[in-house]
Amino acid sequence: MAPLIILGGGLAGLSVAYHLRGGYTLYEKEVRPGGLCRSDQLESFLFDRSGHLLHFRNDYVRKLVHRLLKGNLIAHRRRAWVYSKGRYTRYPFQANTYGLPVEVATDCLLGFIEAKKRYHITASTRYKNFEDWILRNFGRGIAAHFMLPYNEKMWTLPPRELTTEWLSPYVPRPSLKDVVMGALTDQEKPFGYNAEFFYPRRGGIEALVRAMAKGVKPIHTGYRAEAIDWKRRLIRFANGAEAPYNYLISAIPLPELIRMLNPFPDSLERAAAELRFCSVYNINFGISRKNLSDKHWVYFPEKEFSFYRVGFPANFSPHMVPPRASSVYTEVSYSPSRPVDKLTIVNKVKEDLQRAGILKSPKEVIAEQVFDIKYAYVIYDHTYRKNVRLIHQFLQRNRIFSIGRFGGWKYSSMEDAILDGKETAEKIAPLL
Ligand SMILES: Cc1cc2nc3c(=O)[nH]c(=O)nc-3n(C[C@H](O)[C@H](O)[C@H](O)COP(=O)(O)OP(=O)(O)OC[C@H]3O[C@@H](n4cnc5c(N)ncnc54)[C@H](O)[C@@H]3O)c2cc1C
């Protein structure tokens, strides 16, 4: 019988292979597996593709990751902040307006109370769009001072163009008491799914990939799939190789997979054209000074700053930087509706870091590593659900299971990628 093929050696593809324990061949286009979870060394600095922190909601994944990394994990209590109006306030903004100018904090508090009085929110409340969700749940002040500008910056489009199906559990919803306490006091109460996180002591986030990949054979790297004859069940690679399959598990981005289908299924044309995503230009700097910040990461909602988030890898693990140095990662979102000028953005980011008081001078930058992450966030617009369902149904009818963050076409974490792989392995094993 023709074999099972796994396409894409990111965490999702690796996890399928790891859980199957045999009977597959995995193909990956890059020279090493890991996908978004690779870490690159540059002049004694180790850079991930932006911040990659391990948050666990699932006990199985928590135990698996601890077993794989055997003591090579540091536990952290999140130190995440928001920078706006020229000052730092604690994350999440909606529960921590203490420290903002009084008129801003008042706006946020009154808006929240008005929204509470006006809308009776229950689990079955239906929202027109994400903006509607923000206004009803948080009120106009929190919406205007953080939620709308931040989300527009990150998603590269106005929140009214997004649905709400992605946001639980990512956006914390504090109670009225929490919001009042957070306006009057510097409260340290943890909110949300990522209040605690783990990070490898050594090796960056790729340490997890390496540990998982040890149990995965064979992995063929340098194999970029470029065409899939889905009727004959045959993959052709850019290096000229061909591989027949009985079942195909694909963890590569859905638009790329659809483009490869040969003959092209006309029924998918419109759905494929409507899939939207935004990209992240991830600019990392090695800095010649220790202790650049005491924070883990900081959100920047204001337009004046080019990035929507920056973070400090040395605070995840001291082994991310050489002695007497530190580093910073920055994330700039872009898409066809809001392009980025790749010629000027690196200098602009340096200037913005200086304006935020993070860099003292651009001369402090001693290493520079840019990752252009084409597929970063899947956009949940109003056509999302029907298109993704149509595409996945077609693929499954033709024995192709498309999984992971970009194969499944969803907002999901490393933990979800591992679980996706495990569940797919369990589903496919009886068919082999
Ligand atoms: C900016 C950013 C920050 C993030 N931060 C976090 C975080 O803090 N915590 C967290 O849990 N998650 C985070 N994530 C999410 C996390 O990165 C993903 O959920 C996870 O890495 C997805 O793994 P995957 O295997 O589904 O996809 P990928 O990692 O994208 O893997 C896909 C693989 O397919 C390969 N491939 C593509 N095309 C082909 C082809 N034609 N032929 C062969 N191979 C191909 C790629 O090279 C890649 O190895 C973040 C994501 C982004 C974008």
Side-chain angles (χ1 to χ4, degrees):
M1 184 184 279
L4 166 68
I5 285 185
I6 302 169
L7 206 52
L11 221 39
L14 286 174
S15 170
V16 179
Y18 177 87
H19 287 96
L20 276 174
R21 294 171 187 277
Y24 59 80
T25 309
L26 192 155
Y27 293 97
E28 162 58 46
K29 76 174 161 89
E30 300 292 342
V31 291
R32 66 186 205 273
L36 278 170
C37 298
R38 284 169 298 157
S39 312
D40 283 30
Q41 173 106 31
L42 179 71
E43 293 165 27
S44 309
F45 291 94
L46 199 52
F47 295 116
D48 291 344
R49 277 145 182 78
S50 154
H52 264 84
L53 314 168
L54 290 156
H55 317 286
F56 301 117
R57 277 169 284 150
N58 178 284
D59 209 40
Y60 169 79
V61 179
R62 176 190 295 269
K63 286 186 183 141
L64 173 66
V65 170
H66 277 79
R67 197 170 68 235
L68 286 170
L69 287 172
K70 288 189 212 84
N72 184 24
L73 269 181
I74 305 177
H76 289 282
R77 200 168 161 209
R78 178 188 67 204
R79 299 193 301 272
W81 294 73
V82 176
Y83 185 87
S84 65
K85 324 286 176 205
R87 57 197 83 184
Y88 287 98
T89 50
R90 287 183 194 278
Y91 169 87
F93 183 92
Q94 55 270 33
N96 296 293
T97 50
Y98 181 79
L100 285 168
V102 172
E103 61 283 7
V104 175
T106 309
D107 232 13
C108 293
L109 200 50
L110 288 181
F112 192 88
I113 293 167
E114 271 164 32
K116 276 266 168 241
K117 280 202 325 218
R118 189 155 167 209
Y119 305 112
H120 175 62
I121 307 244
T122 66
S124 56
T125 301
R126 293 275 163 266
Y127 301 96
K128 280 187 276 186
N129 52 49
F130 183 34
E131 178 178 304
D132 185 38
W133 185 93
I134 291 170
L135 288 167
R136 287 185 196 220
N137 278 281
F138 299 138
R140 54 174 177 77
I142 291 170
H145 295 295
F146 181 79
M147 277 289 170
L148 294 176
Y150 177 77
N151 280 291
E152 176 148 3
K153 195 172 182 184
M154 198 204 102
W155 293 101
T156 73
L157 44 80
R160 87 183 74 90
E161 290 188 35
L162 298 173
T163 67
T164 56
E165 56 202 305
W166 58 275
L167 56 81
S168 171
Y170 294 105
V171 185
R173 282 177 47 200
S175 67
L176 176 58
K177 185 176 171 205
D178 289 330
V179 171
V180 172
M181 286 295 284
L184 300 176
T185 64
D186 182 21
Q187 67 177 344
E188 289 195 36
K189 183 174 170 178
F191 291 93
Y193 75 104
N194 62 2
E196 182 195 46
F197 68 90
F198 292 84
Y199 190 78
R201 185 179 302 280
R202 289 184 183 273
I205 198 59
E206 193 169 326
L208 173 60
V209 168
R210 286 176 196 222
M212 188 175 266
K214 268 190 201 149
V216 175
K217 280 189 187 69
I219 303 181
H220 294 296
T221 52
Y223 277 70
R224 182 167 62 78
E226 64 172 20
I228 298 172
D229 183 334
W230 51 278
K231 292 197 167 162
R232 287 168 59 217
R233 298 200 200 110
L234 186 73
I235 305 184
R236 202 183 63 238
F237 295 92
N239 60 11
E242 288 189 339
Y245 62 86
N246 196 20
Y247 288 95
L248 171 62
I249 296 173
S250 169
I252 73 172
L254 201 51
E256 307 283 333
L257 175 70
I258 298 170
R259 242 196 308 280
M260 281 177 213
L261 295 177
N262 184 17
F264 185 79
D266 292 337
S267 60
L268 297 190
E269 189 168 0
R270 175 145 178 224
E274 284 179 348
L275 295 180
R276 289 168 79 189
F277 59 94
C278 61
S279 310
V280 165
Y281 211 57
N282 167 221
I283 304 166
N284 303 276
F285 297 123
I287 308 293
S288 62
R289 171 164 52 97
K290 234 178 135 51
N291 302 329
L292 193 61
S293 171
D294 57 357
K295 302 174 173 53
H296 286 126
W297 65 89
V298 182
Y299 300 91
F300 284 79
E302 292 166 339
K303 275 203 182 106
E304 293 68 34
F305 293 92
S306 43
F307 33 74
Y308 65 86
R309 187 167 57 184
V310 312
F312 305 96
N315 297 340
F316 306 151
S317 163
H319 300 290
M320 297 299 284
V321 296
R324 293 181 293 285
S326 46
S327 66
V328 55
Y329 66 82
T330 68
E331 297 169 288
V332 179
S333 249
Y334 71 96
S335 68
S337 58
R338 211 194 47 223
V340 66
D341 181 349
K342 293 178 186 172
L343 289 177
T344 56
I345 189 66
V346 174
N347 282 338
K348 170 85 174 87
V349 163
K350 282 185 199 162
E351 282 165 26
D352 291 349
L353 286 172
Q354 232 181 313
R355 274 196 302 126
I358 294 169
L359 271 188
K360 286 185 186 153
S361 143
K363 290 196 184 118
E364 291 187 306
V365 173
I366 53 173
E368 202 172 290
Q369 170 91 65
V370 175
F371 298 114
D372 193 355
I373 305 173
K374 177 176 174 186
Y375 294 98
Y377 293 95
V378 163
I379 290 179
Y380 285 73
D381 65 10
H382 297 278
T383 63
Y384 169 92
R385 181 175 286 277
K386 86 172 160 38
N387 288 336
V388 174
R389 190 183 296 140
L390 181 83
I391 294 168
H392 280 144
Q393 280 171 351
F394 171 88
L395 293 172
Q396 280 176 25
R397 275 200 306 278
N398 290 288
R399 300 193 184 186
I400 302 174
F401 299 90
S402 186
I403 65 158
R405 180 169 167 116
F406 302 105
W409 203 248
K410 57 195 174 189
Y411 191 166
S412 60
S413 64
M414 293 185 280
E415 176 179 76
D416 297 318
I418 293 172
L419 276 178
D420 249 17
K422 174 178 184 282
E423 283 159 16
T424 308
E426 286 163 359
K427 207 156 57 183
I428 205 95
L431 305 175
L432 297 179

